């Protein structure tokens, strides 16, 4: 027997309806005679057009049951409201019943517009709810239409950087400002922070100020940023090696100063660790550390994380645990080709002064240019690498930069040698000065990080700025730049003077001049022989006395 309508009936003989007297056909739609229950036929019950074991039938019956339960639940709630809230002795009826009755009486003339079979109470309640919903939708759409800003596209400028070729075949882009190399009294090298480029350097620094202090400023693009080629396996040690090659390529012969700002300070710490012999000193503004640094105490960790928004905490968690998910968020934000505020993209919570500052036109113009240069290559991998480096193990601790005595060795043999001959003490760590400027109103890099640095490195000089934020002291502040240079280098002395080689005029040789030069040469040779004989006598006399000193 078929499972659908139209199958053959279980009985072959059919009784005409006029014989049975039944007004209906002798068989049902499923082929079962009238008056016989389904279980008596020996066949399963059927649904018209579909068996009961079908999933769609079961889902339909489930939703029907849910609808029936919802209706019964609504009736129960209505009865509860009528019996408890709408009673004559309830608080609402006693205080607002009269007002409602008077309003209903005044608007009673509207009932004539309703159909005759409709309850006015039910109809007007439905009409009121629908009117409120329509009004809310209209208000929301009207506000969104008027306040929706135009999406500004990011502009990428033509490449114009100077590049050097590294030993491994990569290119590194850099930019120079200030005095030329031969007249530089001080050389500063700076690496940029996250979502920035070599154009940042010291934002808004005036060339006249660099000339006044005799400073040469060199800023470069990190691998994969700007016009620098990416480095697939980079770490902080490779970053310091790139910096070393850059210093040789741009003819920095003496020691140079490192400048670090925010996330770019990570590469400054690496330079102090891996190439300390080439660094004269460092000064940093709001240096960002690894928030998962294990040597931080509980108070410093708590004060650090409390300043950050939930979005920023979530991004740090992704960078540490699930870095493969970061490209999804980066492509939807700063790699989307659109332009937006930095605090929205990076989940920053800014102070009052920072919020006002980033709305200024000079910062907006600089931000557009710097961001466009940073994402020029459109590659998401360098940004992921930079984020992962920030929250992973650096390979060293900042406490390693402390000046301390170098251990010469261990064991009994070293102890025996030290009894007879004590080796000179050697110092390890970074011997140069370290200056840190920290705004106390900074919420991007909380002051607790600078407090941690001061606790780990007591020799570092931390300058606390009471009313400054994250951007206000470093961006477009000529007074702040002058104050930093004066603190580090003292009073301005200008660039080095130009070296001029003196040329001695040639004279014609006469016979008298030749005789004078020959006599002077003979006298000089005789004096030299006499001095050598005296020195030999002194040396022999001291060696006879078994002395350890010899005079050369």
């Amino acid at each position: 027997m078929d499972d659908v309508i139209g199958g053959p009936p279980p009985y072959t003989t059919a009784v005409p309806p006029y014989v049975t007297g039944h007004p209906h056909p002798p068989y049902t739609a499923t082929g079962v005679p009238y008056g016989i229950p389904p279980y008596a036929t020996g066949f399963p019950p059927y649904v018209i057009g579909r068996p009961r074991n079908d999933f769609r039938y079961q889902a339909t019956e489930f939703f029907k049951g849910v609808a029936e339960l919802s209706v019964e639940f609504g009736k129960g709630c209505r009865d509860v409201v009528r019996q408890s809230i709408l009673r004559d002795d309830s608080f609402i009826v006693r205080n607002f019943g009269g007002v409602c009755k008077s309003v209903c009486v005044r608007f009673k003339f509207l009932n004539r517009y309703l159909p005759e079979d409709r309850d006015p109470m039910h109809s007007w309640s439905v009409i009121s709810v629908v009117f409120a919903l329509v009004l809310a939708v209209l208000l929301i759409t009207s506000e969104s239409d008027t306040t929706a800003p135009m999406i500004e596209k990011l502009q990428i400028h033509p490449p114009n950087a100077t590049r050097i070729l590294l030993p491994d075949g990569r290119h590194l882009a850099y930019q120079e400002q200030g005095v030329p190399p031969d007249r530089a009294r001080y050389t500063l090298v700076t690496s940029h922070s996250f979502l920035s480029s070599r154009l940042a350097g010291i934002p808004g620094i005036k060339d006249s100020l660099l000339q006044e202090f005799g400073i040469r400023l060199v800023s470069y693009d990190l691998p994969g940023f700007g016009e620098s080629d990416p480095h697939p396996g980079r770490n902080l040690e490779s970053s310091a090696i790139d910096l070393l090659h850059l210093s040789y390529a741009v003819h920095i012969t003496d020691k140079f100063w490192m400048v670090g700002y925010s996330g770019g300070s990570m590469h400054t710490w690496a330079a102090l660790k891996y190439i300390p012999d080439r660094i004269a000193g460092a000064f940093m503004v709001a240096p960002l550390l690894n928030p998962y640094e294990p040597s931080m105490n509980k108070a410093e960790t708590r004060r650090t994380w409390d300043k950050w928004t939930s979005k920023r905490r979530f991004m740090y968690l992704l960078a540490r645990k699930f870095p493969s998910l970061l490209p999804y968020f980066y492509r939807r934000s700063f790699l989307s080709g659109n332009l937006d505020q930095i605090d929205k993209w990076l989940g920053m919570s800014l102070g009052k002064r920072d919020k006002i500052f980033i709305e200024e036109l000079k910062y907006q113009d600089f931000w557009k240019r710097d961001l466009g240069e940073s994402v020029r290559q459109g590659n998401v991998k360098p940004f992921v690498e930079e984020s992962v480096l920030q929250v992973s193990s650096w390979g060293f601790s900042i406490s390693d930069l402390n000046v301390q005595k170098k251990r010469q060795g261990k064991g009994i043999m070293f102890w025996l040698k030290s009894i007879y001959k004590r080796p000179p003490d050697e110092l390890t760590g970074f011997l140069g000065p370290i200056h840190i400027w920290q705004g106390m109103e900074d919420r991007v890099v909380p002051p607790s990080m600078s407090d941690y640095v001061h606790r780990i490195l007591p020799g570092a000089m931390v300058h606390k700025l009471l009313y400054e934020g994250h951007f206000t002291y470093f961006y477009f502040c000529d007074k702040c730049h002058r104050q930093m240079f004066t603190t580090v280098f003292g009073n301005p002395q200008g660039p080095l003077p130009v070296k001029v080689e003196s040329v001695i005029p040639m004279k014609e040789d006469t016979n008298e001049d030749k005789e004078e030069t020959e006599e002077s040469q003979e006298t000089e040779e005789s004096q030299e022989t006499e001095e050598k004989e005296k020195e030999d006598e002194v040396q022999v006399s001291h060696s006879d006395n078994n002395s350890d000193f010899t005079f050369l």
Side-chain angles (χ1 to χ4, degrees):
M1 182 176 181
D2 297 337
D3 289 343
V4 295
I5 298 175
Y11 299 98
T12 57
T13 58
V15 181
Y18 59 83
V19 176
T20 58
H22 201 282
H24 299 284
Y27 297 99
T28 62
T30 59
V32 180
Y34 280 104
I36 301 176
Y39 58 83
T41 61
F43 298 97
Y46 288 87
V47 183
I48 298 177
R50 187 176 295 116
R52 290 190 176 182
N53 57 1
D54 187 70
F55 173 76
R56 288 178 291 180
Y57 166 73
Q58 296 177 0
T60 304
E61 294 298 322
F62 172 77
F63 286 112
K64 287 181 179 180
V66 171
E68 293 177 358
L69 290 176
S70 302
V71 172
E72 295 297 328
F73 178 76
K75 291 180 179 179
C77 293
R78 182 193 60 184
D79 295 338
V80 170
V81 171
R82 287 179 177 179
Q83 296 176 7
S84 58
I85 299 177
L86 300 181
R87 295 174 55 184
D88 295 337
D89 56 348
S90 65
F91 175 80
I92 296 176
V93 174
R94 284 189 283 106
N95 291 273
F96 302 99
V99 179
C100 293
K101 287 182 179 180
S102 60
V103 172
C104 291
V105 168
R106 292 192 177 185
F107 289 94
K108 191 175 181 180
F109 68 94
L110 296 175
N111 294 337
R112 69 183 67 177
Y113 299 102
L114 296 176
E116 297 180 356
D117 56 345
R118 297 296 180 181
D119 182 14
M121 181 62 69
H122 177 73
S123 300
W124 288 117
S125 61
V126 173
I127 292 172
S128 302
V129 171
V130 172
F131 177 77
L133 291 176
V134 172
L135 183 62
V137 170
L138 291 176
L139 290 175
I140 293 173
T141 54
S142 62
E143 290 180 359
S144 62
D145 293 338
T146 56
T147 59
M150 296 293 294
I151 298 177
E152 187 175 357
K153 295 296 182 180
L154 188 63
Q155 184 179 1
I156 307 297
H157 293 262
N160 60 351
T162 307
R163 305 204 302 172
I164 63 170
L165 181 64
L166 298 176
D168 57 357
R170 294 181 294 113
H171 289 87
L172 193 70
Y174 71 96
Q175 173 182 272
E176 290 191 60
Q177 293 176 268
V179 300
D182 56 343
R183 300 194 62 190
R185 192 177 296 275
Y186 309 102
T187 301
L188 307 183
V189 181
T190 174
S191 60
H192 58 83
S193 58
F194 187 81
L195 208 58
S196 186
S197 69
R198 70 184 183 282
L199 301 180
I202 302 178
I205 186 71
K206 292 185 177 179
D207 190 70
S208 59
L209 185 63
L210 296 176
Q211 296 285 342
E212 184 179 351
F213 281 86
I215 294 176
R216 178 194 183 195
L217 178 62
V218 179
S219 57
Y220 65 99
D221 286 330
L222 293 174
F225 291 76
E227 298 185 38
S228 293
D229 294 337
H231 187 189
R234 71 186 181 105
N235 52 27
L236 290 182
E237 185 175 2
S238 66
S239 176
I241 299 302
D242 289 349
L243 178 62
L244 182 64
H245 292 314
L246 174 66
S247 66
Y248 290 136
V250 297
H251 308 291
I252 302 177
T253 56
D254 298 331
K255 292 184 177 182
F256 56 90
W257 286 76
M258 283 298 299
V259 181
Y261 168 71
S262 189
S265 301
M266 174 174 58
H267 304 280
T268 302
W269 293 117
L272 301 183
K273 169 61 181 177
Y274 294 110
I275 53 172
D277 296 336
R278 293 283 295 152
I279 309 299
F283 60 92
M284 292 170 272
V285 179
L288 181 64
L289 304 176
N290 184 358
Y292 296 96
E293 174 62 39
S295 58
M296 277 188 178
N297 56 38
K298 293 183 179 179
E300 293 167 346
T301 304
R302 177 180 53 80
R303 285 186 293 148
T304 298
W305 288 92
D306 288 347
K307 293 290 184 178
W308 290 337
T309 60
S310 57
K311 181 180 179 181
R312 193 174 184 190
R313 297 176 191 173
F314 176 69
M315 297 303 292
Y316 277 140
L317 177 63
L318 290 182
R320 185 172 176 84
K321 298 294 184 181
F322 311 100
S324 59
L325 299 178
L326 289 177
Y328 171 77
F329 294 95
Y330 290 166
R331 290 193 180 98
R332 292 174 60 88
S333 55
F334 52 83
L335 290 177
S336 62
N338 300 329
L339 190 65
D340 205 344
Q341 295 288 2
I342 185 174
D343 56 334
K344 296 180 181 179
W345 278 347
L346 300 182
M348 296 178 178
S349 61
L350 302 179
K352 293 182 179 179
R353 294 193 61 184
D354 281 335
K355 289 181 180 179
I356 297 174
F357 178 78
I358 65 174
E359 296 293 337
E360 296 181 2
L361 182 60
K362 59 182 179 181
Y363 175 81
Q364 291 292 330
D365 295 339
F366 171 79
W367 163 244
K368 296 175 185 178
R369 181 71 176 88
D370 190 30
L371 176 63
E373 187 64 28
S374 179
V375 301
R376 168 184 296 277
Q377 303 182 29
N379 188 6
V380 70
K381 189 174 181 180
F383 296 95
V384 175
E385 292 173 348
E386 190 73 8
S387 300
V388 173
L389 279 177
Q390 185 66 59
V391 297
S392 59
S393 176
W394 288 4
F396 65 92
S397 177
I398 296 180
S399 60
D400 298 340
L401 303 177
N402 270 323
V403 178
Q404 54 188 347
K405 293 181 180 180
K406 184 179 180 180
R407 295 182 179 180
Q408 301 294 334
K410 296 181 180 180
I412 298 176
M413 296 301 296
F414 173 76
W415 178 73
L416 292 175
K417 290 180 181 179
S418 63
I419 294 176
Y420 295 99
K421 185 179 180 181
R422 178 172 295 178
D425 293 333
E426 294 184 14
L427 300 178
T428 61
F430 181 69
L431 306 179
I434 300 176
H435 293 266
I436 296 176
W437 278 267
Q438 177 64 56
M440 303 308 291
E441 300 295 331
D442 193 346
R443 296 185 181 181
V444 180
V445 180
S448 56
M449 288 193 169
S450 297
D451 295 339
Y452 163 76
V453 174
H454 187 63
R455 179 173 65 85
I456 297 297
L457 297 178
M461 289 166 278
V462 179
H463 310 275
K464 296 184 177 181
L465 312 170
L466 293 180
Y467 304 107
E468 300 291 344
H470 188 70
F471 299 99
T472 54
Y473 193 78
F474 193 65
Y475 280 71
F476 302 97
C477 182
D478 183 59
K479 179 180 66 175
C480 307
H481 300 160
R482 180 180 294 275
Q483 184 180 4
M484 285 192 293
F485 290 163
T486 305
T487 303
V488 177
F489 305 124
N491 294 327
Q493 300 178 7
L496 295 176
V498 180
K499 295 181 180 180
V500 180
E501 296 181 357
S502 59
V503 180
I504 300 175
M506 299 296 293
K507 296 181 179 180
E508 295 182 358
D509 294 337
T510 60
N511 293 330
E512 296 179 356
D513 294 335
K514 291 181 180 179
E515 293 176 356
E516 291 178 357
T517 53
E518 291 178 356
E519 292 177 357
S520 62
Q521 289 177 358
E522 291 177 357
T523 54
E524 289 178 358
E525 290 177 356
S526 61
Q527 291 178 358
E528 289 178 356
T529 54
E530 290 178 358
E531 290 178 355
K532 288 182 180 179
E533 290 176 356
K534 291 180 182 180
E535 289 177 356
D536 294 338
E537 292 177 358
V538 173
Q539 185 172 0
V540 170
S541 63
H542 283 281
S543 62
D544 293 339
N545 294 331
N546 296 327
S547 175
D548 293 336
F549 299 95
T550 57
F551 294 91
L552 302 178

